[in-house]
């Protein structure tokens, strides 16, 4: 904060991909993409042995399901190449430790614990949402049944807490408490998500929808950053700032993901065009559009009031757009990313030290696992 | 171990209810029953405020389900008298602390954590087993749906770990690690139980069945005792002895519960006569009977190979009995209780100090929540 060249706004303009994503003048520079890719790769390399050791410690029945879920085994128990996702959360933990002047090697267990919690929620969410595909493979419950997928998720939550309980690092208890509180928030977020989907299109407020996205997506990204700060020995204010950074970046991610889900190129997103609209999902741009009080909002409410009918997609997309759903979501994403940068620059004023976290925030707003 | 009057066998003969239960010469003395009842009541009083505070800290959606599950609220959210079970596990924690010379007031959070874990497993097991009644009320999933019952269970596991992570007691990290390991074992036990029920009557071994009962029932009772020992500052050997005491007593309980499930008086058990046999459940006496190699085993295997038909109950009960299932289970229960006493007398040689744990072991082999 001592130099004007380090203002949050400037950091945002120099580094944030949001403006670029929004005006779509081009992809991120190869250098920036490479930086995040390198961080993620190194995080995966650091965390995988710890993660694998934890999973291997499970009794046979639970181990099999977890090894399958992480992509380390096929359904028949034969070894697989591994496809455990992009390690965004462990990378946030390890990068936050370094940003705050700590040794990232001390936080490998904490990083693995966060990744175990993430995977516990994936296993359970897939059961509840009846999702059949995860990381291009059949979800665990479709292969092993609901009971075993629920139990494997329960066991992963326990493993995460055991890793922290057995970690002699002085921050491990504070990290365990914070991670447990985060799990409660994740549960509340998943509850809100499933409850909202059952309600009518005019019965969901934008504030509810934002709160749900923060709990479901922002909370664990924030917690990952906060754990990194704790392991660096940061004071409470900086820990909270890092949490807020991760949360806001997570919300920016969710907003952009929702925008891409409607207006993105299906060949790049890997999802059929307009899948969320066809499923009548109350994504953030849709709820913003419904709440806009415009004539297009009325049209959208009517469409959402009945199941999707063949040929309605273009009209639905247009209604969300004309009701301002797209502009609102893009504006919110920029706003959230700006807040994320402000929080980060408060705790880590040196842009060089903050560089890794910025690169990850950038990455997270472009894709997810 | 210095006086012969304190041998495990003598403790067993003087205090254990098993012999009495087995030869059925009469109910336990009023004094012994009162001792356990008093311990349980005091444990409930100590732990409830902590438990209630933890549950009240949940966000609204999760809180509602947890308050219902614990019997503190009706399904419509109005206050209820409370019916959170018999507090056996918290009582074991608090009584173990005292038995090993510690202050039981220091372990109230640990006792609440164990009770939260127990209730997390109940919420999830009821979803998986499609059980519709728990503590004389409709189970949470029948009232709130599978998703919310699963999420509330997840949140209770997290709350348990948060209580320990926030507990400044020097034993709290070791307790958290032990409790997390126990959760993994409980999951494996539940998996084994559901998997065994899907297999044919000749495909389940007695060892498997005993291992399942130990994981599903013994592990948490053992863990409760071990946590008490940890909070008393006991050494590793005594902690492990207390764990073994709880496990063996838990297995004795399960064996007797299974015997009562077949030969017990329905007016006293609250379950219809022979419900386990009618459901073709592979309880311990049944599996022992099937493995006996007797002609009655063949008859039982034939009965169990097909769904129950009206009027078969008496023949099934007789087959289990003639194949030795009842004698085996009663003998095993005595054996397990004897081992429990040995473990206890190893860690707590003074019978006066061990009195509370003995009274609880006694109680646990007579009923459960």
């Amino acid at each position: 904060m001592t130099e004007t060249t380090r203002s949050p706004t400037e950091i945002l303009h120099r580094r944030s991909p949001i403006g670029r994503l929004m005006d779509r003048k081009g992809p991120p520079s190869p250098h920036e993409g490479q930086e995040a890719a390198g961080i993620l790769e190194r995080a995966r390399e650091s965390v995988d042995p710890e993660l694998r050791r934890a999973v291997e410690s499970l009794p046979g029945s639970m181990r099999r399901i977890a090894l399958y879920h992480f992509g380390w085994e096929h359904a028949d128990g034969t070894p697989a190449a591994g496809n455990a996702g992009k390690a965004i959360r462990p990378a946030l933990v390890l990068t936050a430790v370094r940003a705050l002047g700590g040794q990232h090697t001390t936080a490998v267990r904490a990083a693995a614990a966060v990744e175990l919690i993430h995977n516990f929620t994936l296993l359970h969410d897939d059961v509840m949402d009846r999702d059949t595909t995860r990381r291009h493979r059949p979800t665990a419950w479709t292969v092993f049944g609901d009971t075993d997928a629920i139990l494997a998720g329960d066991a992963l939550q326990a493993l995460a807490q055991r890793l922290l309980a057995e970690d002699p690092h002085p921050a491990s208890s504070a990290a365990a408490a914070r991670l447990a509180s985060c799990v409660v928030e994740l549960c509340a977020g998943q509850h809100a998500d499933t409850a909202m989907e059952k309600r009518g299109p005019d019965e969901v407020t934008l504030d509810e929808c934002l709160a749900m996205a923060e709990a479901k997506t922002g909370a664990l990204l924030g917690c990952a950053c906060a754990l990194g700060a704790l392991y660096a020995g940061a004071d409470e204010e900086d820990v909270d700032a890092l949490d807020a950074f991760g949360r806001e970046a997570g919300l920016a991610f969710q907003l952009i993901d929702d925008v891409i889900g409607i207006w993105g190129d299906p060949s790049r997103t890997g999802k059929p065009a307009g899948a969320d609209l066809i499923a009548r999902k109350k994504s953030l741009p849709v709820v913003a559009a419904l709440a806009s009080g415009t004539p297009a909002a009325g049209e959208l409410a009517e469409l959402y009031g009945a199941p999707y009918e063949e040929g309605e997609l273009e009209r639905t997309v247009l209604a969300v757009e004309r009701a301002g759903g797209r502009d609102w979501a893009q504006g919110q994403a920029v706003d959230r990313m700006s807040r994320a940068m402000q929080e980060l620059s408060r705790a880590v004023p040196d842009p060089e030290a903050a560089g890794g976290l910025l690169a990850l925030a950038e990455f997270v707003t472009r894709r997810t696992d």
Side-chain angles (χ1 to χ4, degrees), chain A:
Chain A
M1 305 295 271
T2 49
E3 293 179 56
T4 51
T5 52
R6 287 178 188 176
S7 78
T9 322
E10 274 186 284
I11 291 174
L12 180 65
H13 277 261
R14 271 196 299 140
R15 310 227 25 159
S16 161
I18 293 286
R20 212 167 35 235
L21 255 178
M22 292 301 141
D23 58 19
R24 280 165 303 157
K25 280 184 185 150
S29 74
H31 169 73
E32 282 170 334
Q34 274 171 19
E35 185 177 353
I39 292 170
L40 291 166
E41 205 177 306
R42 286 192 298 279
R44 181 54 66 224
E45 276 166 21
S46 302
V47 165
D48 265 3
E50 193 70 43
L51 208 55
R52 186 96 193 214
R53 193 157 41 240
V55 168
E56 297 279 357
S57 78
L58 291 170
S61 52
M62 301 290 100
R63 187 169 63 233
R64 199 176 144 217
I65 303 154
L67 286 171
Y68 172 81
H69 170 77
F70 280 107
W72 291 324
E73 277 187 12
H74 297 293
D76 63 2
T78 54
N83 176 20
K86 295 208 177 54
I88 289 165
R89 290 156 194 83
L92 284 172
V93 177
L94 300 176
T95 310
V97 181
R98 282 162 67 129
L100 283 148
Q103 281 287 328
H104 77 281
T105 46
T106 62
V108 171
R109 278 195 210 180
V114 169
E115 189 70 349
L116 286 166
I117 291 296
H118 176 51
N119 283 280
F120 134 62
T121 64
L122 295 180
L123 279 162
H124 282 196
D125 287 358
D126 286 342
V127 170
M128 298 171 201
D129 302 339
R130 309 319 282 165
D131 281 336
T132 55
T133 304
R134 163 80 54 200
R135 297 169 187 151
H136 311 289
R137 301 163 78 225
T139 45
W141 71 267
T142 67
V143 177
F144 300 99
D146 287 8
T147 290
D148 286 359
I150 295 169
L151 290 169
D154 290 343
L156 294 193
Q157 184 183 176
L159 280 187
Q161 287 291 348
R162 195 174 73 193
L163 275 185
L164 291 174
E166 289 176 345
D167 186 350
H169 193 286
S172 62
S173 288
R178 200 153 186 128
L179 191 58
S181 291
C182 180
V183 168
V184 172
E185 196 174 349
L186 293 167
C187 291
Q190 169 69 3
H191 165 85
D193 194 14
T194 54
M196 265 171 36
E197 290 303 327
K198 284 188 209 134
R199 282 149 62 191
D202 53 348
E203 294 166 0
V204 173
T205 70
L206 197 48
D207 279 350
E208 274 183 301
C209 202
L210 280 166
M212 181 278 285
E214 182 177 337
K216 204 177 157 174
T217 307
L220 190 55
L221 296 175
C223 183
C225 297
L227 260 55
L230 282 170
Y231 270 69
D235 62 26
E236 209 180 306
E237 209 176 318
D238 286 350
V239 173
D240 287 343
L242 264 280
D243 193 312
F245 159 75
R247 268 175 197 270
E248 297 291 349
L251 217 47
F253 151 69
Q254 191 57 59
L255 285 153
I256 291 166
D257 199 52
D258 283 357
V259 167
I260 291 169
I262 300 175
W263 293 277
D265 176 357
S267 73
R268 291 186 58 188
T269 63
K271 284 189 204 170
D276 283 359
L277 296 180
I278 290 168
R280 299 303 190 218
K281 211 163 153 46
K282 296 182 193 77
S283 68
L284 286 159
V286 168
V287 176
L290 286 167
S292 65
T294 60
E299 193 190 347
L300 183 61
E302 206 176 297
L303 286 161
Y304 256 60
Y308 180 78
E309 278 179 38
E310 195 67 31
E312 277 179 353
L313 183 57
E314 204 182 335
R315 218 180 115 208
T316 317
V317 172
L318 260 173
V320 181
E321 181 136 16
R322 281 207 310 263
R326 182 182 194 160
D327 286 345
W328 173 85
Q330 291 182 333
Q332 270 283 318
V334 172
D335 188 38
R336 296 293 178 164
M337 203 61 179
S338 164
R339 287 193 222 174
M341 299 302 143
Q342 283 172 37
E343 297 286 354
L344 180 59
S345 67
R346 184 184 306 172
V348 190
D350 175 5
E352 288 312 309
L357 286 172
L358 282 170
L360 285 173
E362 204 167 290
F363 183 86
V364 112
T365 53
R366 278 183 288 125
R367 46 174 149 166
T368 183
D369 68 339

